[in-house]
Amino acid sequence: MNTVVHSGAEGFLHRFEGLRARLPGQRLAWVQALREAAAAQFRAAGFPTRRVEAWKYTDLRPVSDAAFDEALTILGDGDTLPAPRGERRAVFVDGRFREELSQLDGAGFAVGSLAEQLPRLEGRLGALARPAEEPLVALNSMLFEDGLVVTVPAGVAGGVLELRSLASRSERPAAFHPRHLIRLEAGASLTLIEESTGPEDTRYLHNPVFEIELAEGAVLTHARIQREGVKGFQLGTVYARIESGATYDNFTLNAGARLVRNEIHAVLAGPKSACHMNGAQLLRDGQHADTTTVLDHAAPDCASRQTYKTVLQGKSRGVFQGKIHVHQVAQRTDGYQMNQALLLSPDAEIDSKPQLEIYADDVKCSHGATVGALDADQLFYLRARGIPEAKARSILVEAFLQEAIEGVTDETARAALDSAVAGWWEKEAA
């Protein structure tokens, strides 16, 4: 007997009804209430359309028109994991924690599976997320099965932790919605290197949500490397709350997927806190990547820096939307935002929408955007010195990306990003 798989919002709501009794936390009243509220919110909103201002440049019909099923969570015989970059690694396959593939012994801080820790997460899970305003977060809140939970105690230097997310090979499109909770207590530090990959021949949806809490003086370096398969979709949302003197340093590299939306909501909640959100989008023919940031300066004497670079090949499309909201209390704010695009094809397209919303008097805020092609004189200079055209183009593009990448000061995170960029160019040359 064939199983009918529904598409669009109806498909996910139908899946929720079928999985309701088997989803983690079904015996916890607060989890049930969270899921039911999210289901009602998603039922009312559905998938965002381009009529919604925040989604004006990104069409989700390739996602909403698809019929996704439950993931099988099977690693193929040929799938392997690269060697870990640090001592600790958490691996998720189709959104579910795989203990046998992970290395978490001797972490020195609490780290593990959300599904196993749900009874202890009341008041923490959902504390930052806004499913009533973000339909994809509502979808995640309705259907999450697992995720990573990290708590670094006060004053502890957590070192490097890798979060690997893999999509398994399957003949049927699958969707998974991991929920990750990261908390650093006062004076703690951590480097989190997140990498998402998937098979090139499988259609799937990866819809992760992060809730990140940084207490006074905490420092989190968060390097995100998105290399999903060319038929995959990633719609990710990050919420970060940054208390007094704390720093959130985020770098996102988008180099895979057919369609990706990287959305970050950060709140500078305490005086002298800082937020750095930088990134690069490397797009080939047929790819669409959307980076949307909302940065709230909600306390005085805070600083923020944003530098995003996009490189576009073929008929690809990049989007950058960045909003800086300076509250009246946030005097002596220092905010900077720059978005630059390099078009390597006449068919490529970039949409840029920087926004400043300022209600304080004593501020220093600026934003800018540039779009251009490779400099013909620089290319001629390199070619005249015997450098092949492909290599010359690579040199110029890597130089273009450097301003964004050089802001990553953690050596392990920087090496991971450099390797990912080099890998993209090796594939491009091939």
Side-chain angles (χ1 to χ4, degrees):
M1 180 177 179
N2 293 328
T3 301
V4 177
V5 181
H6 301 270
S7 62
E10 178 189 354
F12 287 105
L13 291 164
H14 186 270
R15 182 181 175 193
F16 174 62
E17 294 300 327
L19 293 176
R20 186 195 300 265
R22 294 190 286 129
L23 289 169
Q26 71 271 22
R27 296 185 179 180
L28 300 172
W30 68 271
V31 175
Q32 286 185 337
L34 184 148
R35 292 193 191 277
E36 293 293 344
Q41 290 154 353
F42 187 66
R43 182 177 294 108
F47 278 99
T49 69
R50 294 182 64 182
R51 290 191 296 272
V52 178
E53 182 63 25
W55 291 87
K56 179 178 179 180
Y57 303 112
T58 296
D59 188 349
L60 284 183
R61 282 181 297 179
V63 178
S64 62
D65 289 349
F68 293 101
D69 206 341
E70 186 176 3
L72 292 174
T73 317
I74 297 174
L75 270 181
D77 295 336
D79 291 323
T80 59
L81 287 172
R85 298 187 178 93
E87 297 178 358
R88 293 169 297 277
R89 175 171 68 188
V91 178
F92 287 77
V93 180
D94 296 335
R96 297 163 184 156
F97 180 64
R98 293 287 290 266
E99 184 176 5
E100 76 279 12
L101 300 175
S102 303
Q103 300 175 12
L104 297 175
D105 294 337
F109 55 88
V111 54
S113 161
L114 179 141
E116 295 176 1
Q117 299 183 41
L118 263 180
R120 300 187 294 277
L121 296 175
E122 185 176 5
R124 182 173 174 185
L125 174 62
L128 302 183
R130 299 195 295 268
E133 301 173 21
E134 309 293 339
L136 297 176
V137 177
L139 176 60
N140 175 284
S141 300
M142 179 176 71
L143 285 172
F144 73 87
E145 296 181 61
D146 210 343
L148 182 70
V149 178
V150 175
T151 305
V152 184
V156 171
V160 178
L161 172 65
E162 287 188 86
L163 168 57
R164 298 269 183 159
S165 177
L166 293 84
S168 61
R169 183 170 285 104
S170 175
E171 293 183 358
R172 58 180 187 175
F176 44 98
H177 314 266
R179 188 65 160 261
H180 305 299
L181 308 181
I182 313 295
R183 173 181 285 171
L184 274 60
E185 297 180 353
S189 63
L190 180 70
T191 294
L192 178 64
I193 300 177
E194 172 200 350
E195 186 162 6
S196 303
T197 59
E200 299 294 327
D201 57 353
T202 298
R203 185 169 57 171
Y204 60 91
L205 168 62
H206 181 197
N207 178 36
V209 171
F210 282 80
E211 295 184 83
I212 297 171
E213 301 172 87
L214 304 182
E216 183 177 357
V219 178
L220 175 63
T221 297
H222 187 187
R224 311 182 68 204
I225 302 171
Q226 183 278 116
R227 296 195 290 189
E228 306 280 12
V230 295
K231 293 184 178 181
F233 304 99
Q234 187 187 107
L235 306 173
T237 308
V238 174
Y239 295 96
R241 183 175 176 85
I242 308 152
E243 298 294 347
S244 300
T247 299
Y248 179 50
D249 193 351
N250 174 295
F251 189 99
T252 302
L253 174 67
N254 285 323
R258 175 183 172 187
L259 184 152
V260 59
R261 165 93 163 198
N262 166 46
E263 187 164 337
I264 305 174
H265 297 260
V267 179
L268 292 164
K272 298 183 179 180
S273 55
C275 182
H276 308 139
M277 295 190 294
N278 302 311
Q281 300 186 136
L282 308 179
L283 307 181
R284 295 190 182 88
D285 187 58
Q287 288 184 297
H288 180 109
D290 178 338
T291 291
T292 294
T293 66
V294 180
L295 179 54
D296 273 300
H297 280 261
D301 301 303
C302 296
S304 64
R305 295 289 183 272
Q306 298 182 67
T307 301
Y308 284 93
K309 307 266 189 165
T310 302
V311 179
L312 301 102
Q313 299 262 36
K315 193 174 182 179
S316 57
R317 185 174 186 180
V319 177
F320 174 77
Q321 300 182 105
K323 179 179 180 180
I324 299 176
H325 178 196
V326 182
H327 296 246
Q328 186 174 9
V329 71
Q331 301 296 332
R332 297 172 298 283
T333 283
D334 183 0
Y336 171 82
Q337 180 190 94
M338 175 59 73
N339 169 47
Q340 296 177 305
L342 186 61
L343 305 180
L344 303 183
S345 162
D347 297 321
E349 181 179 347
I350 182 73
D351 296 291
S352 182
K353 184 184 176 184
Q355 294 177 272
L356 293 178
E357 190 173 325
I358 301 173
Y359 297 97
D361 299 322
D362 185 5
V363 301
K364 183 172 67 174
C365 290
S366 63
H367 65 79
T370 66
V371 179
L374 285 178
D375 189 299
D377 291 338
Q378 293 178 352
L379 188 60
F380 176 80
Y381 177 86
L382 294 174
R383 292 295 312 280
R385 278 147 184 79
I387 298 176
E389 181 175 358
K391 180 62 177 176
R393 291 166 65 89
S394 172
I395 290 172
L396 294 178
V397 171
E398 289 184 17
F400 171 77
L401 296 173
Q402 273 309 301
E403 181 185 356
I405 296 177
E406 68 186 7
V408 181
T409 57
D410 183 273
E411 292 182 2
T412 305
R414 174 71 177 269
L417 292 166
D418 285 339
S419 175
V421 171
W424 185 82
W425 273 111
E426 288 174 5
K427 182 180 285 189
E428 188 65 30

